[in-house]
Structure formats: C-alpha cells, structure tokens
C-alpha cells in the first residue's frame, strides 16, 4: 500500500539503528479507499508521526481476513492487530452496544456523534475492553438505507415478503420482521454474490458502503429510509496492546481520534456525493419517504428485544441528548 512503502523509507531514515519498526495490520471488510480505509490511513499517518516511524501500518481490506464477526474473533485471539468494523456483530460480544443499533433512535449525525463521544458512548466503549479487545474510539458507518432489485420501497407494505440480508444483529432482524420483510443474517463478504444470484432480494447499508461496494451493479432501487444509525469502532487486539508501554498506548488512542475525524469527514462527503453517484450508475433512489410508519413498526418489534434484557434507561438517556 502507498502508506507502507513511504512509511518504511521514512521510518528507516528517522529511526536509526536501535529502534525496531513495527507494522500494524488493520483489517476491514470494505475497500481500502472506503470511509473505513480512509480512517485507517489517517490513523497510520498520525501513529507514524507520533512514534517517529517506530510504528507503520498496512490495511488488510475488503474482507481478506473474513467478515466482521471473524475480525472481532481474530482480534480476541491475537491473530489480528486492529480492525475498523461496524457495530453490527459487536452486540454479540458486548450486548450494551445493541442500544446503538435500535432503529430510528438517533435523530441525525450530530445527535449520534454527541452520544458516542459523550458520557454514554465512552462508558460503553470501556465495556468493549472487557472482551479481550481494546476499543480505541467510535468511528462511523452511517445511516442505513434499503436497496433491492425488485421494486421501489416507499411504505412498509412494499417490504412484505422481501428477502432482505441483514447484519448478524438480533435487533435489526426483529426490526425488519416487524416492518414486513424476511431478514437473512449474513456476513458482509457474502452479500454481493448473494444479491447477484438472487439468494436475497435486497440489503441495507449506508451510502458509504453501497458506493464502496458498487451495489448498483446488482441492485436497481435504493430507498433512503435512514432506519438505523450504524456506528463503527476502531478496535485493537488486547494482546498486541498489552505489549505497548503507556506512551505508545497514548499514541494509539490519539491516532484513533485522527482516524475517526477522517472517517466521519468521508461519511459527510458521501451523504450527498454518494447518492449522486448511485443515480449516475443507474439506481433509482427514492428520497420522498414518510419514515413514521416504518418507525412505528420497527420500534414496536425491536425495542422489546433490547429493553426486556437491558431496560429503557440508556435509550431514554440517548433520546435526551441535544
Ligand atoms: O461495516 O455488514 C454490514 O452491512 C456493514 O455495514 C458493512 O460490513 C460495513
């Protein structure tokens, strides 16, 4: 990767004979130039600067090392150094995270970022650390929208019987069952071929992922439902992190902040540019959607899945953030 080659030359020049250089492998399931890839590169730049070349980085993008659940498990056993993943499967490891996956909970990006960067988000980020993982920072995937290959979706009735791929997330699956679809949980690397072969009719993802994955090649319709805000997270393996001294750990946290800033800036850019690209590539993008009927069905079906186990306090506190 661009980053590794330049980094290595700079690192050798600056590090001198004593300092051994360490290359951090960071895995994602999206392309190296996606909103996650851009976040990874910004992370590497900052880490290399702070460490004066001691640490460099290289991406393992596009699901090379598996789906997001595989990446999380790989981090837990120390097989992978770092990953940037959505919170989709993370709730299976850190149930508190399910609160962030509730449909129509976050009003907009400003609300979501305030919650994740504030006391509620930081408290849950610390809970990630109890699972052989290190949560460095909350990043961002984006507000999720529905794509499909059969017909425009404007109201919940249009979802009836639609085979829709979802993440491996019980809250999302309950929400889509409630809205009338037939949810099929599936790891992301399998999604493009499943759409191509008609195993599923549709899927749901932010504009960032739809455009990075070129879903217009296998999906005709996109409906900007914005039904779920999808956070992402910069994760490190606990075993790799344990080998760092306190100063080095600080570099990783500082670099993750720089990575998140670049990742969120790309999400902002694609909110408009991505929709234009989807239309340019031939997708029919439906924007005049009344979200209320979707929200009523999704909330009725999915909120009890969360609140019966974890209560309503966190949900009410998230809603109260302004
Ligand atoms: O993290 O699995 C998904 O739909 C995720 O949004 C995607 O992998 C980006």
């Amino acid at each position: 990767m661009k980053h590794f080659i330049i980094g290595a030359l700079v690192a050798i020049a600056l590090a001198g004979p004593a300092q051994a250089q360490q290359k951090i492998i960071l895995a994602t399931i999206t392309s190296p130039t996606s909103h996650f890839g851009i976040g990874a590169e910004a992370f590497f730049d900052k880490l290399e600067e702070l460490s004066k070349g001691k640490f460099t980085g290289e991406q393992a993008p596009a699901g090379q090392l598996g789906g997001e659940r595989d990446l999380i498990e790989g981090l837990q056993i120390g097989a992978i150094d770092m990953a940037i993943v959505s919170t989709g499967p993370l709730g299976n490891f850190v149930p508190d995270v399910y609160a962030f996956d509730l449909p129509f909970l976050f009003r907009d990006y400003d609300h979501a970022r305030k919650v994740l960067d504030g006391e509620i988000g930081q408290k849950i980020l610390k809970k990630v650390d109890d699972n052989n993982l290190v949560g460095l920072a909350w990043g961002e995937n984006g507000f999720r929208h529905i794509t499909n290959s059969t017909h425009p979706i404007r109201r919940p009735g249009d979802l009836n019987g639609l085979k829709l791929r979802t993440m491996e997330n019980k809250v999302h699956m309950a929400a889509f069952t409630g809205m009338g679809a037939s949810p099929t949980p599936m790891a992301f690397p399998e999604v493009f071929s499943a759409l191509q072969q008609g195993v599923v009719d549709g899927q749901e993802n932010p504009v960032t992922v739809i455009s990075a994955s070129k879903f217009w090649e296998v999906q005709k319709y996109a409906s900007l439902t914005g039904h779920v805000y999808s956070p992402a997270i910069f994760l490190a393996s606990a075993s790799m992190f344990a080998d760092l001294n306190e100063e080095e750990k600080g570099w990783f946290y500082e670099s993750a902040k720089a990575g998140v800033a670049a990742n969120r800036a790309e999400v902002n850019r694609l909110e408009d540019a991505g929709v234009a690209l989807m239309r340019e590539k031939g997708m029919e993008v439906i924007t005049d959607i009344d979200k209320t009927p979707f929200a009523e069905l999704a909330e009725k079906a999915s909120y009890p899945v969360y609140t019966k186990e974890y209560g309503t306090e966190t949900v009410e506190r998230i809603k109260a953030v302004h």
Side-chain angles (χ1 to χ4, degrees):
M1 289 298 291
K2 170 217 39 114
H3 196 90
F4 172 70
I5 295 164
I6 297 172
L9 294 176
V10 167
I12 292 164
L14 294 179
Q19 203 176 30
Q21 193 179 73
Q22 186 175 339
K23 183 166 76 175
I24 301 297
I25 303 298
L26 190 157
T28 71
I29 46 81
T30 49
S31 74
T33 55
S34 70
H35 58 318
F36 289 174
I38 285 171
E41 291 299 323
F43 172 85
F44 296 151
D45 284 342
K46 193 65 179 175
L47 184 62
E48 204 166 311
E49 174 201 326
L50 292 172
S51 68
K52 294 183 175 57
K54 177 178 182 180
F55 293 96
T56 63
E58 183 173 323
Q59 293 188 56
Q64 288 172 13
L65 300 183
E68 294 191 322
R69 180 194 280 268
D70 302 320
L71 298 187
I72 294 169
E73 289 166 350
L75 290 165
Q76 287 182 313
I77 63 170
I80 301 175
D81 295 330
M82 283 189 63
I84 300 173
V85 295
S86 78
T87 54
L90 189 59
N92 299 293
F93 302 86
V94 189
D96 299 79
V97 169
Y98 279 129
F100 297 150
D101 294 320
L102 288 164
F104 299 101
L105 176 59
F106 292 100
R107 297 185 294 273
D108 51 34
Y109 280 105
D110 183 52
H111 177 214
R113 293 169 184 175
K114 274 185 183 165
V115 170
L116 291 178
D117 295 347
E119 189 264 331
I120 297 169
Q122 294 309 299
K123 189 174 164 194
I124 292 177
L125 189 63
K126 278 293 150 231
K127 293 198 175 183
V128 170
D129 296 359
D130 302 336
N131 298 271
N132 257 350
L133 299 166
V134 177
L136 293 173
W138 293 114
E140 190 164 77
N141 201 15
F143 275 95
R144 303 180 75 91
H145 307 300
I146 299 168
T147 69
N148 86 97
S149 56
T150 58
H151 56 268
I153 292 170
R154 287 191 169 80
R155 57 193 63 78
D158 296 335
L159 283 170
N160 287 351
L162 199 78
K163 290 180 291 180
L164 196 81
R165 177 271 174 177
T166 68
M167 295 197 282
E168 297 151 293
N169 181 304
K170 64 183 181 182
V171 170
H172 288 191
M173 292 174 66
F176 277 104
T177 301
M179 288 190 276
S182 300
T184 304
M186 186 186 294
F188 188 75
E190 299 161 30
V191 175
F192 190 93
S193 57
L195 293 167
Q196 202 165 34
Q197 293 155 24
V199 170
V200 288
D201 304 314
Q203 63 87 45
E204 46 84 49
N205 247 296
V207 171
T208 50
V209 177
I210 296 167
S211 47
S213 311
K214 299 185 172 63
F215 278 154
W216 46 72
E217 293 177 0
V218 288
Q219 299 277 264
K220 172 66 183 159
Y221 305 99
S223 301
L224 301 193
T225 46
H227 51 273
V228 162
Y229 170 75
S230 184
I233 185 168
F234 284 56
L235 285 172
S237 139
S239 54
M240 180 277 285
F241 210 67
D243 290 341
L244 304 176
N245 65 38
E246 288 311 303
E247 185 184 33
E248 292 166 339
K249 288 176 181 175
W251 295 341
F252 275 68
Y253 282 110
E254 198 58 37
S255 303
K257 282 185 187 150
V260 166
N263 155 246
R264 285 176 173 172
E266 181 63 0
V267 172
N268 290 342
R269 183 185 75 81
L270 282 171
E271 274 304 282
D272 296 326
V275 172
L277 182 61
M278 287 156 61
R279 286 192 164 118
E280 186 189 303
K281 297 293 184 181
M283 289 189 95
E284 183 180 328
V285 182
I286 296 103
T287 56
D288 59 333
I289 291 170
D290 175 4
K291 296 183 182 184
T292 305
F294 286 99
E296 284 168 356
L297 291 168
E299 290 174 18
K300 186 171 173 224
S302 65
Y303 277 53
V305 170
Y306 173 83
T307 55
K308 75 173 185 296
E309 285 193 68
Y310 311 110
T312 59
E313 187 199 351
T314 302
V315 175
E316 295 313 316
R317 293 183 62 219
I318 288 172
K319 288 178 179 175
V321 172
H322 287 274

